[in-house]
Amino acid sequence: MARSTLPDIEIPGQTLYELLFGELDDADLDRVALIDGPSGDETTYRALIAQIDSLAGALAARGLAVGDRVGILCPNIPAFATVFHGVLRAGGTATTVNTLYTRDEIAAQLSGAGASWLFTISPLLPQAEAAAADAGIPADRLVVIDGAPGHPSLRDLLFDRAAPPEVDFDPATHLAVLPYSSGTTGHPKGVMLTHRNLVANVLQCEQIIPLERDDRVLAVLPFFHIYGMSVLLDFALLKRAALVTMPRFDLADFLGTVATQRCTWLFIAPPIAVALAKHPLVAESDLSSVKVVFSGAAPLDRALATAVAERLGCTVCQGYGMTETSPVTHVIPVGRDDVDRSSIGFALPNTECRVVDPESGRDVKVPRRGRGPSAPGELLIRGPQVMSGYLHDDEATARTIEPDGWLHTGDIATVDSAGVYTIVDRLKELIKYKGYQVAPAVLEAVLLAHPLIADAAVIGVPDDDGQEVPKAFVVRRAQDAGTTGTGLDEESVMAWVAERVAPHEKVRLVEFVDLIPKSSSGKILRKDLRARRGRHAAL
Ligand code: 4UU
């Protein structure tokens, strides 16, 4: 067991609103908090806080009680910050929904989380309306931020001019957010994160990520995912930096926005690093304002990190974390050029780590100085950023968090004598496609519903750029076996899945097999499937 090499910090008993917006002086209030990338429209901290307070007041006046759950299905626009922090300010719990989700996926999350309100934007209204109906959310509680007939708009709520409510809850136990994650296995589950979890994580980040007031931070990573939520929407605002929002990733827009807005920090996931390293458009763009590119959410290759650093003339760093840890647990400090870019750096303050051999259950030995990394083992985390559990799923909670607080990450890591951790493999079944979670169990259920499929398993394999993509192994039904053309082929399998899941969850490779390897208890032996393809074994 190892504590962080950094000194512990005190975690105050504040709400997230109190921490972020409790103490701004006039100079801070006049600073720009948010810039809408496409239009360049600016929102000051003063305006943002006024909107957050008004929205909290309106929600309370319209019946939102402390602890009520509110869905947010919205891309990165400045109003996301108002809605998110307004809901938390009123004592509500925000369940942020992936904007790519199908109507059924949205409905499952809203129902699972028990949401009684939903905020969305008019282009997403068809799926939002259908999902809200399934989840029993009435039309007057489906707020369409930019307005739509039959629904309140954000403007309507702000025009109530209601004073923010006096709310009373314990930040240590009150749920601030319920993002969804499939964790180590199965379908997505509500991750219960308290105000204390989020407050702790932004303060932990502050010790190791040197973002400053004058920084201009590109916010293209979705706020609905924990990385964008904590690191951008919470941490960058705590630092009084300016967030430049982009509703979707498009390379030309991305490069244009960085150049126009003179962004200094880019928080990205590895597929964007691939584009930055390789795409010809990058050579034509003015990226001279960029000081730091910070990658997370999936493994960053060392050569890729070097290529980006050289091409942009900036520092490339990496962070690691998961929804269940609010999310950040490890970061490469900006000034430490001696630290390997393919590592995840050091544990944050107040964060304890173990690397445990999954076979023996024993902690691996940390080698002495100069002896290289330890043997690999599962990374376990304990700290104030660890979730309180999965919503309505005691079994998954018990499987993931030990009684004494250690959280199983499902990732395989090594550690060296200096306390530098490196993720070398994944024990859990989760797939990361462009940094998004893809749960094999979800895709396997969709595949098994096909009348011509007898059995199926899905794993992640690397594409030509080294990025992970979902691949299905499929066993045809007996009557179809051996037939070609008439029955099941790769395209029809991919199309079947594509019609039923969000775009990032599509199966992108298919291989027909005679049998899915399984253990005696019926668990899919994913390692055996990975081993079928030698060059994929190291993912
Ligand atoms: C190898 O993706 C996230 C959180 C991302 C994040 C957090 C803090 C990025 C930067 C940062 O500073 O959360 P989830 O829940 O969607 O996915 C978690 C999983 C991890 O368990 C691991 O398998 O995503 C993978 N992962 C990484 N893998 C996340 N970051 C890394 C990484 N290297 N740097």
Side-chain angles (χ1 to χ4, degrees):
M1 191 262 274
R3 294 196 71 81
S4 167
T5 50
L6 299 164
D8 275 0
I9 53 167
E10 185 91 29
I11 313 294
Q14 288 175 305
T15 67
L16 189 64
Y17 177 91
E18 286 164 351
L19 175 75
L20 299 187
F21 307 117
E23 286 170 30
L24 281 90
D25 56 26
D26 268 347
D28 279 347
L29 288 167
D30 288 333
R31 296 178 66 79
V32 172
L34 294 145
I35 301 167
D36 179 45
S39 69
D41 287 351
E42 296 183 347
T43 308
T44 61
Y45 277 90
R46 191 186 302 280
L48 173 63
I49 294 168
Q51 286 172 18
I52 292 169
D53 288 346
S54 281
L55 177 60
L59 286 170
R62 291 173 186 232
L64 182 115
V66 172
D68 282 357
R69 313 272 158 82
V70 180
I72 305 178
L73 175 73
C74 178
N76 285 14
I77 53 175
F80 194 115
T82 303
V83 172
F84 179 81
H85 288 297
V87 167
L88 267 61
R89 169 80 174 87
T93 301
T95 188
T96 51
V97 187
N98 188 325
T99 50
L100 300 172
Y101 267 5
T102 62
R103 107 180 226 171
D104 288 348
E105 288 171 321
I106 301 166
Q109 181 171 337
L110 295 176
S111 304
S116 51
W117 290 77
L118 176 62
F119 282 78
T120 194
I121 55 167
S122 55
L124 298 177
L125 194 54
Q127 56 269 49
E129 222 160 23
D134 284 358
I137 298 174
D140 64 345
R141 292 191 170 188
L142 200 185
V143 183
V144 182
I145 292 172
D146 51 332
H151 298 283
S153 68
L154 180 58
R155 227 165 192 242
D156 294 335
L157 270 72
L158 297 179
F159 272 14
D160 285 359
R161 302 210 180 281
E166 292 289 328
V167 284
D168 187 24
F169 57 78
D170 179 0
T173 53
H174 187 68
L175 297 186
V177 294
L178 272 170
Y180 269 56
S181 163
S182 65
T184 54
T185 183
H187 287 251
K189 297 170 273 292
V191 176
M192 299 194 283
L193 299 179
T194 62
H195 279 259
R196 178 179 160 80
N197 289 144
L198 301 186
V199 163
N201 206 229
V202 289
L203 293 174
Q204 291 171 301
C205 282
E206 194 175 26
Q207 302 302 308
I208 198 165
I209 306 179
L211 202 66
E212 290 165 12
R213 293 169 97 231
D214 290 330
D215 279 313
R216 297 168 74 85
V217 181
L218 191 72
V220 69
L221 294 181
F223 293 145
F224 63 71
H225 181 250
I226 194 74
Y227 182 3
M229 186 192 299
S230 274
V231 179
L232 301 171
L233 207 51
D234 298 346
F235 177 59
L237 292 181
L238 175 76
K239 299 310 292 179
R240 314 298 180 226
L243 277 180
V244 180
T245 60
M246 289 193 68
R248 70 192 68 79
F249 178 76
D250 166 89
L251 185 63
D253 287 350
F254 173 91
L255 297 171
T257 305
V258 172
T260 317
Q261 296 296 341
R262 307 289 302 155
C263 293
T264 56
W265 276 70
L266 311 183
F267 287 94
I268 61 162
I272 302 184
V274 173
L276 288 174
K278 294 191 173 172
H279 203 284
L281 267 182
V282 174
E284 297 161 26
S285 309
D286 176 7
L287 305 182
S288 58
S289 55
V290 177
K291 295 189 299 193
V292 183
V293 170
F294 186 104
S295 175
L300 180 69
D301 180 69
R302 182 183 304 123
L304 180 58
T306 308
V308 172
E310 283 175 0
R311 198 171 191 202
L312 270 60
C314 70
T315 298
V316 175
C317 283
Q318 180 164 201
Y320 162 89
M322 53 197 294
T323 310
E324 289 80 351
T325 56
S326 304
V328 194
T329 65
H330 290 75
V331 168
I332 301 177
V334 168
R336 291 290 300 268
D337 293 340
D338 56 316
V339 176
D340 179 2
R341 271 29 213 169
S342 65
S343 79
I344 55 167
F346 301 96
L348 263 49
N350 305 51
T351 303
E352 297 172 282
C353 303
R354 289 171 60 193
V355 176
V356 176
D357 180 345
E359 302 289 316
S360 69
R362 279 202 283 273
D363 290 59
V364 303
K365 267 213 166 74
V366 180
R368 272 180 302 172
R369 258 188 85 182
R371 291 284 174 84
S374 69
E378 187 185 7
L379 180 63
L380 271 61
I381 303 284
R382 191 162 66 177
Q385 71 272 56
V386 171
M387 66 168 179
S388 43
Y390 292 113
L391 182 70
H392 307 317
D393 199 337
D394 294 344
E395 196 208 314
T397 303
R399 233 188 299 117
T400 308
I401 308 181
E402 304 269 344
D404 54 359
W406 287 101
L407 172 107
H408 288 259
T409 63
D411 291 307
I412 301 288
T414 61
V415 57
D416 70 11
S417 61
V420 172
Y421 290 77
T422 302
I423 303 294
V424 294
D425 200 354
R426 206 179 285 148
L427 191 61
K428 57 187 168 189
E429 59 190 42
L430 178 70
I431 299 169
K432 280 322 232 3
Y433 177 73
K434 299 201 165 161
Y436 289 111
Q437 287 201 3
V438 177
V442 170
L443 299 183
E444 286 155 7
V446 170
L447 289 164
L448 289 174
H450 193 295
L452 298 178
I453 292 179
D455 205 356
V458 179
I459 62 167
V461 299
D463 68 6
D464 292 343
D465 285 323
Q467 304 299 307
E468 197 176 6
V469 296
K471 168 171 180 174
F473 291 84
V474 172
V475 182
R476 291 185 171 105
R477 272 208 187 283
Q479 66 269 29
D480 190 55
T483 62
T484 46
T486 52
L488 209 55
D489 59 10
E490 293 178 16
E491 277 69 45
S492 61
V493 170
M494 288 195 261
W496 172 267
V497 177
E499 282 161 23
R500 290 167 175 78
V501 300
H504 65 285
E505 296 173 303
K506 283 183 198 170
V507 162
R508 282 157 210 275
L509 290 166
V510 176
E511 184 177 331
F512 292 100
V513 291
D514 295 333
L515 195 76
I516 301 294
K518 293 199 180 147
S519 69
S520 51
S521 62
K523 264 186 88 168
I524 296 169
L525 295 171
R526 294 173 200 280
K527 275 222 172 299
D528 290 6
L529 287 172
R530 291 203 240 170
R532 285 174 63 90
R533 311 189 47 100
R535 73 186 187 89
H536 292 149
L539 239 195

